Amino acid sequence: MIYFEDIEVGATTLFGHYDVTREEVIEFAQKYDPQPFHLSDEAAARTHFGRIAASGWHTTAMTMAVIARHVVATEQAGLGSPGIDELRWLKPVYPGDRLTVTGTIVEKTPSRSKPNIGSFRTETTVTNQHGEPVMRYTSIVLMLRKPAD
């Protein structure tokens, strides 16, 4: 199990990859962000996107899927997140893109009120297959501390 004490400021983790499909982009848009440039080639061609682009919220959800799978696979003692800061969608994400998710620990703080918990901040960057950043944010993660022996 990975605990708060195992987290090192400055450490970078490759969480994994996500392959974006046209079907998923359209399905997500139909349910959650039904703007024409997420649903129609013709409508998207009349915008700066040029073609169907994933919703920024879909990009965020795909990123979370990659991170959550990594957290489960590596058996982290995570307790969720109270939020994120400075979310930026930097470039459009298109069907056929391969997203890569990395995170760098920028700060960690033991809880003053709950001695069995700590929090840390991670600068998360998502890049496309060309190495271009498409999204960036800072997450705040809560994590259990190592139990006293």
Side-chain angles (χ1 to χ4, degrees):
M1 182 73 63
I2 296 172
Y3 292 97
F4 174 77
E5 288 79 6
D6 301 315
I7 302 299
E8 294 182 27
V9 173
T12 297
T13 300
L14 169 62
F15 292 109
H17 308 282
Y18 197 100
D19 294 318
V20 183
T21 68
R22 178 182 174 83
E23 297 75 25
E24 190 174 334
V25 167
I26 292 170
E27 180 183 356
F28 185 95
Q30 287 171 333
K31 286 178 142 180
Y32 305 110
D33 193 355
Q35 297 183 75
F37 45 81
H38 298 318
L39 297 167
S40 159
D41 289 312
E42 295 76 24
R46 294 188 296 271
T47 71
H48 65 286
F49 295 115
R51 57 192 168 112
I52 285 180
S55 164
W57 295 113
H58 185 198
T59 301
T60 306
M62 291 183 279
T63 298
M64 189 64 221
V66 170
I67 292 170
R69 288 181 190 121
H70 176 83
V71 167
V72 170
T74 57
E75 298 184 5
Q76 295 186 22
L79 298 171
S81 172
I84 60 173
D85 294 327
E86 301 178 22
L87 171 64
R88 296 291 182 264
W89 295 300
L90 305 168
K91 288 181 92 59
V93 170
Y94 297 106
D97 281 354
R98 179 166 222 206
L99 304 179
T100 300
V101 181
T102 59
T104 301
I105 307 295
V106 294
E107 173 185 302
K108 69 185 256 188
T109 309
S111 173
R112 287 184 219 107
S113 61
K114 297 178 182 172
N116 65 326
I117 294 176
S119 68
F120 61 92
R121 291 179 178 269
T122 302
E123 183 176 286
T124 302
T125 303
V126 182
T127 57
N128 63 20
Q129 65 277 10
H130 306 294
E132 301 165 325
V134 298
M135 187 175 77
R136 184 172 287 127
Y137 64 87
T138 302
S139 63
I140 305 147
V141 178
L142 302 176
M143 185 174 254
L144 286 174
R145 299 187 73 180
K146 284 186 179 175
D149 287 336

